[in-house]
Amino acid sequence: MNRMAEFSSQLLNSMTPVTRQEVLGLYRKIFRIAKKWQSASGQVEETLKEKDYIKKEAKTLFRKNKDVTDPKLIKQCIEECEARIEIGLHYNIPYPRPIHLPPMGLAHKRGRTFRQQEKLRKISKPIYLKSHDEIS
């Protein structure tokens, strides 16, 4: 529990009071969800594996972003967290849902360059996958 207090104090030093409450509330919400989580298969070992994944992913992402001070970036992280929570609860899958884009299907017929495709892929990526790709 001492680590949690240390993490919280580091996180709180760089945010406004409203943002602090919101971030800590999301952190607690994730751990409450993990505590009650049941896998779709209903198997005990699968449930334990998914609970562990939820906790580990939350710790990794919150620690990774603990020094973020830009309000826009903090808001983006909060939105991503909320989106991942809602999608996970809706589909009963704790892992991010993949997206499938055709290899060269995003650009106009003229000027289909690799650089342009990469830019369009980055723009079209759902918010809930942004941090997943960075830590995977």
Side-chain angles (χ1 to χ4, degrees), residues 41-68:
S41 67
Q43 296 178 347
V44 175
E45 56 273 353
E46 188 70 26
T47 298
L48 292 174
K49 183 179 171 185
E50 289 179 3
K51 283 181 176 187
D52 186 49
Y53 171 79
I54 293 168
K55 291 175 188 175
K56 201 178 287 187
E57 183 81 354
K59 287 178 185 178
T60 302
L61 290 175
F62 276 81
R63 285 188 179 138
K64 178 184 149 254
N65 295 318
K66 72 179 181 184
D67 296 324
V68 175

Side-chain angles (χ1 to χ4, degrees), residues 46-112:
E46 188 70 26
T47 298
L48 292 174
K49 183 179 171 185
E50 289 179 3
K51 283 181 176 187
D52 186 49
Y53 171 79
I54 293 168
K55 291 175 188 175
K56 201 178 287 187
E57 183 81 354
K59 287 178 185 178
T60 302
L61 290 175
F62 276 81
R63 285 188 179 138
K64 178 184 149 254
N65 295 318
K66 72 179 181 184
D67 296 324
V68 175
T69 56
D70 180 27
K72 288 182 183 178
L73 193 54
I74 292 171
K75 186 175 178 353
Q76 184 181 13
C77 290
I78 289 170
E79 289 172 356
E80 178 183 355
C81 182
E82 290 170 343
R84 287 185 69 174
I85 288 171
E86 291 303 315
I87 289 170
L89 291 174
H90 179 76
Y91 292 104
N92 200 29
I93 300 171
Y95 312 107
R97 292 179 48 83
I99 58 168
H100 303 287
L101 297 172
M104 293 296 279
L106 294 176
H108 299 289
K109 290 189 178 190
R110 285 190 348 233
R112 287 188 173 183

